[in-house]
Amino acid sequence: MERQNQPSVWGELMQGIPYEGMVDADIRVSDIVYDSRKVQKGCLFVCLRGSAADGHQFARQAASQGAAVILAEEPVDAPGVPVALVKNTRQALARISAAYFGHPARELTTIGLTGTKGKTTISYMTQAILQAAGYRMGLVGTIGMVMDDQVISTDNTTPESYELQKFFRRLADAGYDGVIVEASSIGLKNYRTEGFVFDYGLFSNFSEDHIGGNEHPDMEDYRKSKQLLFRQCRLGIFNRDDPAWEFMKDGCTCAVETFGFSPQADFRAENEALLSHPGYLGVSFTFCAQGKAFPVQVGIPGKFSVYNALAALALCNHFPKVKQEHCRSGLQKVKVKGRVEMVPAGGPYTLLIDYAHNALSMESLLRTLREYHPHRLVCLFGAGGNRSRSRRFEMGEVCGRLADLSVLTADNSRFEEVTDILADIRVGMEKTSGKFVEIPDRREAIRYCIEHAEPGDIIVLAGKGHEPYQEIRGVKYPFDEREIVAEILCDLPAKKEAKPCR
């Protein structure tokens, strides 16, 4: 049973957390809340400083709504309610949440993944292998918090510590063996993963991203934030081929293992090869570790898929029930929604959906697909509204250089006009000699790609990935590209003649 709404004692929750203020240790706390709109009688209200609002400003409101205690970083106006002051309320929230839910991480095997790219794919690969061996693993990441087929949506890749601990408790109570968490740099920096120690931490790679705005002020802060995972895990597993790996392990408090193509890596890949036929792109390699070797095939294209698979294999090496056949079957079957995800199209071409939504991820994706020597590489993409315009220029230039045909269309336009966003993309596109067409309606743009597909083409629908919606003027409209593709294929005359659609 979840711990939520079952009273806890203040003194037990704050054990080991220094604070100032006169608060009765026997005060009963019915819940922990950091959103003033959710305050109920008897709860502990935690004042968090956010990018849009400061919880300290809502302390009086929380008091009037019946909060039993208020936790803050500075004195607040909260008539009739005891206030406890701590140095950092986010850090305290994480530790209190762990105690409130009965330290559920101690009942699970916990895996934390950090790196600029690959976290979601590694988590799904790891889960697939472990599931083949009979383990039940929950997932936390970009796609949400996942239990079997149930997906709980989250606002962040790494949820706030209260939500994370609550999910851990659900997993433990449901008999799960463990959980795989995408530990984002912001999540680590903001203490969302405090309050427990990961059994395993893994570093995939590092490149420039998440700089500016409400994220990291500079690259140094970004790198140091990722580094925090390896002061909070028992064993750290690092991509030895990445130039940042030694920085990441510097100052770590954990045992160390490595993976990569390097002969010095503990877990190595050899004999890498690309696999392709219409409707299928993948890789194969030989996995070598501890004097053993066996072949592996992955139905996800590109060298980065080898690295992701190696990472998963290195993690699964520490689970005693995992055998060679589990590794091979898990990786062969794994499919990650929205990550170079192959969608059945029934024609002599390959259709993919991918989450690439900035120049860095777009360049990586298109270079990877180029390695498969398509007849044409066709890329459909747009850009998010109310985001940096420079990102649009850069994406246009990258696609103009690397795609044979770009189809410019809508993404999440939010509160901007699609035509204005496309005009910005066109600025970058026109710096190249790349061919492009503009079709603002994304459904019609997808139809155009399918109807004009040529044998041997690789067509990638970029930007939406796992998202099942389009956000326009503050409203999220249903828009799952897999369903859109299926509907379009049903409409095509050739498909209708071949077999009826369901």
Side-chain angles (χ1 to χ4, degrees), residues 23 79 86 137 152 190 220 224 231 251 289 300 325 346 366 427 432 453 468 470 474 501:
V23 183
V86 294
M137 302 294 289
I152 304 164
N190 287 340
E220 189 68 6
K224 286 184 175 178
R231 297 170 189 175
I300 303 174
E325 58 266 26
L366 296 180
V427 170
T432 75
Q470 268 194 306
C501 296

Side-chain angles (χ1 to χ4, degrees), residues 470-483:
Q470 268 194 306
E471 186 178 346
I472 304 169
R473 300 286 172 190
V475 178
K476 290 183 177 179
Y477 296 94
F479 196 93
D480 188 317
E481 292 191 322
R482 294 147 205 80
E483 296 176 2

Side-chain angles (χ1 to χ4, degrees), residues 38-234:
K38 299 179 180 178
V39 171
Q40 294 183 350
K41 187 174 181 179
C43 75
L44 162 63
F45 178 66
V46 183
C47 302
L48 299 184
R49 301 184 195 278
S51 57
D54 183 348
H56 292 78
Q57 298 174 355
F58 300 95
R60 186 181 185 88
Q61 176 187 332
S64 69
Q65 291 174 206
V69 186
I70 290 176
L71 193 68
E73 295 177 2
E74 61 187 38
V76 292
D77 180 20
V81 178
V83 176
L85 300 181
V86 294
K87 184 177 180 181
N88 189 299
T89 51
R90 286 189 181 276
Q91 187 174 34
L93 173 63
R95 295 178 181 180
I96 293 168
S97 296
Y100 180 74
F101 287 106
H103 299 284
R106 297 174 184 173
E107 303 169 41
L108 302 165
T109 298
T110 51
I111 298 172
L113 309 176
T114 199
T116 305
K117 294 176 289 188
K119 296 186 296 295
T120 300
T121 301
I122 293 169
S123 69
Y124 272 80
M125 287 179 167
T126 304
Q127 184 197 45
I129 295 170
L130 294 177
Q131 189 170 298
Y135 293 96
R136 295 180 73 199
M137 302 294 289
L139 299 178
V140 177
T142 309
I143 292 172
M145 298 187 292
V146 184
M147 293 179 67
D148 293 325
D149 295 329
Q150 182 185 3
V151 180
I152 304 164
S153 62
T154 57
D155 294 329
N156 304 297
T157 297
T158 309
E160 198 57 73
S161 55
Y162 176 87
E163 278 70 36
L164 194 63
Q165 293 292 340
K166 180 180 179 181
F167 184 62
F168 286 1
R169 172 46 58 200
R170 288 188 63 180
L171 293 174
D173 288 351
Y176 275 67
D177 297 291
V179 62
I180 306 164
V181 179
E182 293 183 44
S184 69
S185 55
I186 293 295
L188 290 163
K189 180 180 179 179
N190 287 340
Y191 302 102
R192 294 175 194 160
T193 61
E194 277 258 355
F196 69 99
V197 177
F198 284 103
D199 292 296
Y200 306 102
L202 184 135
F203 165 66
S204 61
N205 51 63
F206 183 85
S207 55
E208 185 169 351
D209 201 4
H210 304 292
I211 308 301
N214 298 321
E215 298 185 291
H216 299 282
D218 50 45
M219 288 286 284
E220 189 68 6
D221 185 76
Y222 181 41
R223 287 202 304 171
K224 286 184 175 178
S225 296
K226 289 193 171 298
Q227 192 183 47
L228 293 172
L229 176 61
F230 304 102
R231 297 170 189 175
Q232 194 195 332
C233 68
R234 295 183 176 88

Side-chain angles (χ1 to χ4, degrees), residues 423-463:
D424 286 341
I425 295 174
R426 197 166 59 242
V427 170
M429 186 70 64
E430 289 174 345
K431 292 181 180 180
T432 75
S433 58
K435 296 179 181 179
F436 68 93
V437 295
E438 290 185 38
I439 306 175
D441 184 302
R442 194 171 180 103
R443 181 187 294 265
E444 290 307 309
I446 295 172
R447 177 182 291 276
Y448 175 89
C449 290
I450 292 173
E451 289 183 340
H452 292 81
E454 298 178 8
D457 280 356
I458 294 178
I459 301 169
V460 58
L461 313 180

